[in-house]
Amino acid sequence: MDFKLGRLNLNAVAQGVGGFVFGNENSASNEDSYVERYLDRISNGVLAEDRRAAMIELQSLVAESRAAQMSFGATGFPVLLNVLKEERDDVELIRGALETIVSALTPTETAHALKNEVQPALVNSDLLSRESESISLLLSLLSEDDFYVRYYTLQIITALLTHSPNRLQEAILSIPRGITRLMDMLMDREVIRNEALLLLTYLTREAEEIQKIVVFEGAFEKIFSIIREEGGSEGGVVVQDCLELLNNLIRNNTSNQMLLKETIGFDPLVSILKLRRGSAYNFTQQKTINLLSALETIRLLLMGGSASEPGKDANKLSNQTALAQKKILDHLLLLGVESQWAPVALRCLALRCIGDLVMKHSHNLDILGSKLVGEEPHLEPALNAIFRIILRTSTLQEFIAADYVFKCFCEENSDGQAMLTSTMTPQPSANHATAEVGGSMPFGSMLLQALLSDGASGDLEMCSKATSVLSHILKDNVKCKERVLRVELEAPVPSLGSPEPLLHRIMKNLALAASGKDNNQTYQGDSYIEPLILRLLVTWLAECPNAVYCLLEAPAHLTYLLNLVSNPHASACVQGLAAVVLGECVLYNKSSENNRDAFSVADALSQKVGLTSFFLKFDELRKRLLDLATLGQHRKPLSRSSTASMADAQEVDNDNANQKHEHPVIVESFDPMFIKFIERLETDIRESILGIFSNTKNKVTVLPAELEQRDKETDGDYIKRLKDFVEKQCTEMQDLLGRNATLAEELVKTGSGTPSNPSQSTGSGKERVLTETLRQDLQEATRRIEILKSEKAKIEAEANNYRTLATKLESDLKSLSDAYNSLEQSNFQLEVEVKALRKGGDSPYPDVEAIKAEAREEAEKESEAELNDLLVCLGQEQSKVEKLTSRLIELGEDVDSLLEGIGDDTALGEDDDDIDDK
């Protein structure tokens, strides 16, 4: 490496940056001259002690002064890199050079530093990382025997990785055995091992090629060996670094996950989560961080890999099975459900792992459904305990995590849904929900008790949380919907009313939540109570006509939903979900009763909301949900900083939601699957409303009295009058149907604009009817033109075929004529020869004339037969051409122009024959 050339390049870059940061030459301080003096002593000094002393003073100056850091970056790197290359025998000088570089890459803390001022340490890191040879030189120093040389070298590479990760990753990959040298440091002394561990953690982030090499070098074995040495979850920050490195290696990497499972297995990982019940309440900050990192590893394994990898689902299922066989569910339940003194973040992540463990895995679902938690004699089903967490927790993130368990449990698990709904039996004292829900009640009774709200803020929050659970239980399960629909609650005063359906109580809770907001009552969950209740209604009514019928039994429900859609104070999410509920009342409505059928609901929508405004709510809801889905997808991986903040905080961080002022419950509840469900519903609702407005309401028509035969009216006059009446009615009916269909289709397809004025609509009714008639006539004419065009194209194709055939026949005729002429020429030559022979002597000779006459006769017979066949073919073709000519004339084509040029070749051929004859 030419360090002199490198020095010139580094000087040019650093001086430009330094001038930009610090201004003109007048801003330079005495540190610049000191740095130059020390560097000159190091590079040109004769005495080793003098060079070492200059190195020590340079390191001290660079560590304390920002100006010295910048000046060193401009001139110092080439000098010190040359020392590292040429002075390997002088260990003290090598140590000083490395420590000086570490100081140049470490930011200095100054009280008067500007917020947006460029950091010299960042500039120096960029300068040093640009030279790939410098990275190779640093890696070679890792094989030195001196402890501090290896230690400072690792610190330098770590600093460079922190500031320029992509460049360092590419440089290290390009160096032979570069990763191997770093992996060897894991077996070094503890301090170097820890520094190498931190370095590998930075190096393996989002670098798939490096991850593969690290795993190939035995990373899994070394990681778990260090964790055991450090004491597992009771260990220090080294355990955290090991788990972070492990997570980097398996994140979205199916092959590495399979290799971990097949080589080391999951036993070492599960052992980290093992807690003794007696020590379960002792959670230090570092222990919490270590457990969070281990749970993050579990979640990554349960995800199975990247969504784009083909073997993700199979790997996920295999990981679920393997982890369940290691009894990990017991450890997760101890952390997430039974250890209520554990930090909130730890409980939440454990609950999410439980959901991922059982999702779409039949065996694991059965295990969770039959699992008991607690100690004798206070055992209870695990699902009951998790539901009690939902009702009692004051932390929204814990509610979200526990709700996630039920979401995963009910996903494609009809047996589990039926099991939960089978216990939904009202308790005698279930009229007033209290905070003491639970006890020894079955799950369904606990759920019903939580759903019965009396309007208090705490009850409404509890009701909305129970509503979320019920929506998971009813999702895509018509049998469960019908079963819950038959649940009847006692009236508040049994002697004054009949039992109340549960669906009606849900609507009452929705109205109470809205009325509380109208009265300026602020609940803790006032931003998510209504959306969760409406989500339940959307889920319940889907493909369940009986639920729609039950909802519309009370006329006030339809009126309330119509008002909610038009309420300007409601959020776009609430208005949109209410519009979806109304759309389902049209789509899944099988009733034929007046004021409850689909036409009545659609008519009420058209009159009180307007179809345009109604479908605008769908568009606004879709945009809103897509924004929420985008927020929910940004989930940062756990690192030192994020895990520390999670361990200190009382709630799990949700930075994305807070930045966008979105409630975390809303962000988590409306996931991409629900958004796709809403999009499908929207399409079906639009088509259903279009169909309703395109058909008549009543299927039975009442005959008017004027259809009866009048006195003294003949049968002929009566039939004629009936015919005129029917024709008039049909015309009016077709006009009305066409107008309704056009109007509904226009409104449904556009979904935007302003509602039309009824008076204007009435005044322009005739114009619209006329326009529709003209539009239909135009469509019919266009259709006939297309048919004629296709027929014309077909006829032209046939004409071209016949032209080709005629040309071929003419060519055959010309060939035959040429053969006849050739025969005539041969005959003429023979005659000449015969005459010459006659003049030559008196010897006898054959009768040439007879021979010629015989040959001519045979040739004429053959040519006559061929000419007859040709004439027959030509006659047939001529008749076809005449028919085609007449058809083309009917279509308006110029036949002469089409036939122009045909036959010219034949005429030329005949002229040639005449010339030959002459």
Side-chain angles (χ1 to χ4, degrees), residues 859-898:
E860 288 178 354
K861 289 181 180 180
E862 292 180 357
S863 61
E864 183 178 2
E866 292 182 356
L867 284 174
N868 290 334
D869 294 340
L870 182 61
L871 289 175
V872 172
C873 293
L874 287 176
Q876 293 176 351
E877 297 304 322
Q878 182 64 30
S879 62
K880 292 181 181 180
V881 171
E882 291 177 356
K883 291 182 180 180
L884 291 175
T885 302
S886 61
R887 181 56 179 168
L888 289 172
I889 293 173
E890 292 177 3
L891 294 175
E893 293 291 336
D894 189 355
V895 179
D896 294 335
S897 62
L898 291 175

Side-chain angles (χ1 to χ4, degrees), residues 601-615:
V601 178
D603 185 60
L605 276 173
S606 177
Q607 296 294 329
K608 297 185 178 181
V609 178
L611 292 181
T612 303
S613 178
F614 175 70
F615 287 115

Side-chain angles (χ1 to χ4, degrees), residues 66-67 79 184 194 207 230 232 257 293 308 612 828 857 859:
R66 291 166 55 86
V79 175
D184 291 340
N194 297 344
E230 294 294 322
Q257 291 183 13
S293 301
S308 59
T612 303
F828 178 76
E857 184 179 357

Side-chain angles (χ1 to χ4, degrees), residues 17 88 114 205 283 298 355 370 455 462 528 567 572 585 603 676 679 687 695 726 728 762 846 872 918:
V17 177
R88 289 292 182 94
L114 299 177
R205 288 177 181 171
F283 290 96
I298 298 296
S370 59
M462 185 186 299
Y528 69 85
N567 187 358
C585 290
D603 185 60
K676 292 181 180 178
E679 290 175 349
E687 294 177 355
N695 296 282
V726 170
K728 179 180 177 182
T762 304
V872 172
K918 292 178 180 179

Side-chain angles (χ1 to χ4, degrees), residues 213-340:
I213 299 174
V214 170
V215 170
F216 182 76
E217 294 291 338
F220 292 143
E221 295 86 348
K222 295 175 182 178
I223 287 173
F224 285 110
S225 176
I226 296 173
I227 291 176
R228 283 193 299 271
E229 292 176 6
E230 294 294 322
S233 62
E234 302 289 344
V237 70
V238 177
V239 175
Q240 177 187 352
D241 292 337
C242 286
L243 290 171
E244 186 175 350
L245 174 59
L246 176 63
N247 293 341
N248 289 345
L249 297 178
I250 66 173
R251 182 177 289 110
N252 297 329
N253 196 320
T254 302
S255 59
N256 284 355
Q257 291 183 13
M258 295 175 63
L259 190 61
L260 172 63
K261 178 173 55 183
E262 294 171 359
T263 56
I264 304 300
F266 294 151
D267 287 316
L269 177 61
V270 175
S271 63
I272 300 175
L273 299 175
K274 288 183 179 179
L275 298 176
R276 298 189 306 274
R277 291 184 180 272
S279 63
Y281 311 133
N282 181 21
F283 290 96
T284 62
Q285 183 184 31
Q286 189 58 55
K287 179 179 179 179
T288 301
I289 293 175
N290 293 341
L291 289 172
L292 285 172
S293 301
L295 290 174
E296 176 72 5
T297 307
I298 298 296
R299 285 210 75 185
L300 292 174
L301 291 172
L302 292 173
M303 288 172 59
S306 175
S308 59
E309 293 190 64
K312 177 204 170 195
D313 294 334
N315 183 54
K316 175 183 177 181
L317 190 66
S318 176
N319 290 345
Q320 286 176 314
T321 303
L323 288 170
Q325 291 173 352
K326 304 301 179 184
K327 308 295 182 183
I328 196 173
L329 183 59
D330 296 336
H331 306 301
L332 295 176
L333 289 172
L334 180 61
L335 278 172
V337 180
E338 299 183 65
S339 300
Q340 291 303 305

Side-chain angles (χ1 to χ4, degrees), residues 297-434:
T297 307
I298 298 296
R299 285 210 75 185
L300 292 174
L301 291 172
L302 292 173
M303 288 172 59
S306 175
S308 59
E309 293 190 64
K312 177 204 170 195
D313 294 334
N315 183 54
K316 175 183 177 181
L317 190 66
S318 176
N319 290 345
Q320 286 176 314
T321 303
L323 288 170
Q325 291 173 352
K326 304 301 179 184
K327 308 295 182 183
I328 196 173
L329 183 59
D330 296 336
H331 306 301
L332 295 176
L333 289 172
L334 180 61
L335 278 172
V337 180
E338 299 183 65
S339 300
Q340 291 303 305
W341 288 270
V344 174
L346 194 58
R347 301 201 304 266
C348 292
L349 196 51
L351 287 169
R352 287 187 174 274
C353 287
I354 293 174
D356 293 332
L357 180 67
V358 303
M359 188 174 187
K360 298 182 182 180
H361 193 288
S362 58
H363 182 66
N364 292 357
L365 288 168
D366 294 338
I367 294 175
L368 179 60
S370 59
K371 199 72 176 177
L372 299 177
V373 296
E375 297 180 351
E376 294 288 353
H378 304 293
L379 293 174
E380 66 173 333
L383 292 175
N384 289 27
I386 296 173
F387 183 65
R388 189 177 294 106
I389 292 175
I390 290 177
L391 301 180
R392 291 180 176 178
T393 183
S394 59
T395 305
L396 289 178
Q397 292 297 340
E398 190 171 17
F399 154 62
I400 293 173
D403 183 72
Y404 181 75
V405 176
F406 282 98
K407 175 184 176 181
C408 297
F409 180 80
C410 296
E411 189 71 27
E412 298 182 11
N413 183 21
S414 56
D415 294 337
Q417 292 171 309
M419 178 192 72
L420 296 178
T421 54
S422 65
T423 61
M424 293 184 65
T425 304
Q427 297 292 315
S429 59
N431 293 324
H432 300 284
T434 65

Side-chain angles (χ1 to χ4, degrees), residues 534-704:
L534 286 168
R535 188 186 69 169
L536 170 63
L537 293 176
V538 170
T539 305
W540 200 341
L541 299 185
E543 299 181 358
C544 188
N546 290 336
V548 174
Y549 182 83
C550 179
L551 179 68
L552 297 177
E553 275 186 332
H557 293 166
L558 179 60
T559 304
Y560 173 74
L561 290 173
L562 292 170
N563 294 334
L564 188 59
V565 172
S566 306
N567 187 358
H569 302 292
S571 65
C573 184
V574 171
Q575 290 181 336
L577 290 172
V580 175
V581 174
L582 287 170
E584 288 179 316
C585 290
V586 176
L587 178 62
Y588 300 112
N589 194 322
K590 304 301 181 184
S591 175
S592 58
E593 301 180 15
N594 289 333
N595 301 325
R596 292 187 189 176
D597 59 349
F599 183 88
S600 300
V601 178
D603 185 60
L605 276 173
S606 177
Q607 296 294 329
K608 297 185 178 181
V609 178
L611 292 181
T612 303
S613 178
F614 175 70
F615 287 115
L616 274 176
K617 305 301 180 184
F618 281 86
D619 297 335
E620 295 172 0
L621 176 65
R622 184 171 59 254
K623 295 177 182 177
R624 177 74 166 170
L625 294 181
L626 289 175
D627 292 339
L628 294 176
T630 303
L631 291 177
Q633 291 175 354
H634 296 292
R635 182 173 175 269
K636 298 180 181 179
L638 292 181
S639 61
R640 277 195 176 191
S641 57
S642 61
T643 49
S645 62
M646 288 173 62
D648 290 335
Q650 292 300 315
E651 292 192 17
V652 181
D653 293 337
N654 199 327
D655 297 334
N656 292 315
N658 293 334
Q659 291 173 3
K660 297 289 186 178
H661 305 289
E662 300 291 353
H663 201 286
V665 175
I666 300 297
V667 174
E668 291 286 340
S669 298
F670 297 98
D671 56 2
M673 293 180 60
F674 185 80
I675 296 174
K676 292 181 180 178
F677 171 66
I678 291 295
E679 290 175 349
R680 291 195 301 267
L681 270 181
E682 178 185 358
T683 303
D684 295 340
I685 290 171
R686 288 178 183 270
E687 294 177 355
S688 177
I689 292 179
L690 174 61
I692 287 174
F693 281 101
S694 300
N695 296 282
T696 57
K697 175 184 176 182
N698 297 322
K699 303 299 182 182
V700 180
T701 303
V702 179
L703 294 177

